[in-house]
């Protein structure tokens, strides 16, 4: 069967889907040479009578099943992050329930999990620093009580309330002193959330970087690592080389992750990535290539990149501007891959990308062999095309 896929100009092009399924993923024990978290999406309940403004209706069984799929690859799960539509359909009560359920599932599976701590109980503007501190404390307590590692996320409310770098240093220092185990600090750039422009007290990235590094240097024993999501590989490498001993860099760069994870003679990045939601099996396969070197042979960086480099075109497509809508493509691919029975999202976000964008995502993912059942993906893509009125 040949599908007719629309491109950005409105023209239709022929695409012949692959027929053979990909090689079976080699599930096994945990990854060794890199620590890798996939930021996971949530599965909406498509039958819920709700609206984009209402509380999120989540299909908990399908949501937790997807996390078990990631753990089976040897990946960790980064829970209740941007990929889970925090602040874009999933409110704090929904995120809190997600954290409780996923952390309990992780304990049962003996699997790694880290959960986002933010301030989304508050409006983006109008809250003072005391309210921001209290909101962070509430969420940190819940994550710690669940037994999960905490990821201190960037806060829209803090970006609006802070008067300068000193406010960031004081507040983050307060939270780090309260943490019962080392946390991951997350710097999310404005391309993911425009409300975070000027985070760390300055729109000048060099100045913001210095504040960020000061926070880490003052509390190195409370920082497991940092996640940088600025889509700036050179800046990440520069920061990585200045981190205190024992503090890891988890790349959040969905444009340049293969080279950053492979690293160089001076070091490498671990990973905490939204693109590893759809790329989970391939990401794990690539890291196992590095693992195969062991202690008696050099890491096979070329082999690692041979697996992951071909995925970058898909990732750059999903994360193209407006970058914050990448979640739509992530959930779309999960539907095509059979991880959920529908293409519906909390907050109605399935409408955030155009049909040509989704068609190109399908084409690229099919070319990579991402779909365990190519015929199922083809049938689901055909049904979407029909819904949009594309002639067969």
């Amino acid at each position: 069967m040949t599908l007719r896929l629309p491109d950005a100009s409105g023209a239709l092009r022929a695409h012949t889907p692959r027929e053979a399924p990909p090689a079976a993923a080699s599930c096994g024990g945990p990854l060794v040479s890199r620590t890798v978290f996939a930021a996971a999406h949530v599965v909406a309940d498509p039958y819920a009578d709700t609206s984009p403004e209402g509380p999120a209706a989540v299909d908990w069984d399908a949501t937790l099943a997807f996390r078990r799929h990631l753990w089976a690859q040897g990946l960790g799960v980064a829970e209740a992050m941007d990929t889970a539509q925090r602040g874009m359909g999933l409110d704090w009560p929904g995120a809190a329930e997600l954290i409780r359920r996923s952390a309990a599932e992780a304990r049962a599976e003996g699997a790694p999990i880290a959960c986002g701590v933010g301030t989304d109980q508050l409006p983006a503007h109008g809250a003072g620093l005391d309210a921001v501190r209290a909101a962070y404390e509430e969420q940190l307590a819940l994550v710690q009580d669940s037994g999960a590692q905490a990821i201190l996320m960037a806060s829209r409310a803090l970006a609006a309330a802070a008067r300068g770098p000193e406010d960031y240093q004081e507040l983050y220092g307060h939270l780090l002193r309260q943490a019962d185990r080392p946390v991951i600090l997350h710097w999310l750039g404005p391309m993911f959330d425009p409300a975070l422009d000027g985070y760390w007290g300055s729109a000048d990235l060099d100045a913001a970087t210095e504040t960020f590094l000061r926070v880490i240097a003052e509390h190195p024993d409370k920082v497991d690592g940092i996640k940088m999501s600025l889509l700036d590989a050179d800046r990440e490498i520069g920061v990585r080389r200045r981190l205190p001993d024992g503090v890891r860099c988890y790349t959040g760069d969905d444009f340049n992750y293969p080279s950053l994870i492979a690293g160089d003679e001076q070091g490498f990045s671990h990973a905490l990535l939204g693109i590893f939601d759809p790329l989970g099996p391939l990401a794990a396969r690539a890291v196992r290539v590095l693992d195969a070197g062991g202690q008696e042979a050099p890491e096979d960086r070329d082999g690692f990149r041979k697996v992951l480099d071909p995925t970058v075109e898909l990732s750059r497509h999903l994360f193209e501007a407006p970058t914050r809508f990448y979640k739509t493509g992530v959930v779309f691919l999960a539907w095509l891959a059979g991880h959920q029975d529908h293409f519906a999202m909390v907050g109605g976000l399935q409408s955030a990308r155009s049909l040509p964008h989704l068609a190109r995502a399908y084409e690229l993912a099919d070319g990579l062999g991402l779909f365990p059942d190519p015929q199922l993906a083809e049938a689901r893509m055909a049904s979407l095309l029909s819904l949009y009125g594309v002639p067969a």
Side-chain angles (χ1 to χ4, degrees):
M1 177 180 180
T2 298
L3 296 177
R4 303 177 72 189
L5 303 178
D7 63 22
S9 71
L12 297 176
R13 65 184 183 279
H15 172 74
T16 302
R18 71 162 56 217
E19 297 181 358
S26 58
C27 301
L31 306 178
V32 176
S33 56
R34 304 290 187 273
T35 300
V36 180
F37 289 97
H41 73 280
V42 293
V43 182
D45 178 355
Y47 302 131
D49 185 12
T50 186
S51 69
E53 293 81 21
V58 177
D59 180 337
W60 294 113
D61 289 341
T63 293
L64 294 176
F66 187 74
R67 280 129 183 85
R68 290 192 293 272
H69 155 72
L70 294 172
W71 286 321
Q73 313 305 317
L75 306 176
V77 167
E79 189 55 278
M81 300 292 291
D82 188 53
T83 308
Q85 294 181 243
R86 288 288 291 270
M88 291 186 68
L90 188 71
D91 60 12
W92 167 237
E97 183 65 14
L98 178 63
I99 290 167
R100 284 189 286 263
R101 287 175 181 258
S102 292
E105 195 78 11
R107 288 196 303 274
E109 297 280 331
I113 189 169
C115 298
V117 170
T119 64
D120 43 334
Q121 313 95 307
L122 304 174
H125 294 84
L129 289 173
D130 288 343
V132 172
R133 181 183 297 107
Y136 264 127
E137 288 174 338
E138 177 189 357
Q139 295 199 17
L140 178 60
L142 185 144
V143 170
Q144 293 185 155
D145 289 347
S146 76
Q149 184 178 17
I151 304 170
L152 293 185
M153 302 170 67
S155 162
R156 295 173 181 171
L158 177 56
R163 297 175 296 272
E166 296 77 11
D167 286 339
Y168 287 89
Q169 287 181 245
E170 191 281 327
L171 192 145
Y172 273 91
H174 174 79
L175 295 172
L176 290 171
R177 287 188 290 272
Q178 290 194 10
D180 62 6
R181 60 186 285 194
V183 309
I184 298 171
L185 296 181
H186 185 194
W187 184 358
L188 190 69
M191 67 289 295
F192 289 94
D193 187 342
L196 299 176
D197 192 27
Y199 210 74
W200 301 108
S202 177
D204 181 312
L205 285 178
D206 290 337
T209 297
E210 293 306 316
T211 302
F212 185 50
L213 287 169
R214 276 196 298 274
V215 169
I216 299 164
E218 290 170 359
H219 309 276
D221 58 324
K222 289 297 187 79
V223 180
D224 165 63
I226 63 167
K227 168 178 160 59
M228 295 187 67
S229 298
L230 300 180
L231 305 182
D232 183 339
D234 290 340
R235 184 168 297 277
E236 177 174 320
I237 292 170
V239 170
R240 186 174 77 195
R241 291 175 178 172
R242 295 177 62 189
L243 291 175
D245 290 343
V247 177
R248 311 181 200 197
C249 180
Y250 294 91
T251 187
D253 189 330
D254 300 278
F255 284 4
N256 303 292
Y257 51 93
S259 62
L260 290 165
I261 299 170
D264 55 30
E265 291 71 20
Q266 297 185 54
F268 57 81
S269 294
H270 300 273
L272 198 165
L273 287 162
I275 192 57
F276 281 0
D277 177 303
L279 294 183
L282 281 179
R285 185 187 308 168
V287 175
R288 292 188 196 284
V289 171
L290 294 176
D291 290 351
Q295 296 182 353
E296 299 182 2
E299 293 182 340
D300 184 0
R301 294 176 186 164
D302 290 340
F304 167 85
R305 296 198 59 174
K306 185 177 180 180
V307 176
L308 271 198
D309 278 357
T311 69
V312 172
E313 186 177 4
L314 172 63
S315 188
R316 285 176 175 261
H317 177 72
L318 295 183
F319 284 79
E320 70 182 12
T323 302
R324 62 188 181 279
F325 294 129
Y326 76 88
K327 297 96 166 171
T328 301
V330 165
V331 174
F332 173 65
L333 294 181
W335 172 56
L336 294 181
H339 294 299
Q340 55 193 79
D341 295 331
H342 57 82
F343 179 37
M345 298 176 68
V346 299
L349 207 63
Q350 68 271 11
S351 65
R353 291 295 201 189
S354 69
L355 181 62
H357 177 94
L358 298 175
R360 182 59 177 157
Y362 163 72
E363 187 177 30
L364 291 169
D366 186 49
L368 290 169
L370 278 188
F371 303 128
D373 184 342
Q375 286 73 40
L376 174 65
E378 176 185 336
R380 289 184 169 181
M381 189 68 219
S383 71
L384 184 71
L385 293 169
S386 175
L387 179 66
Y388 275 79
V390 177

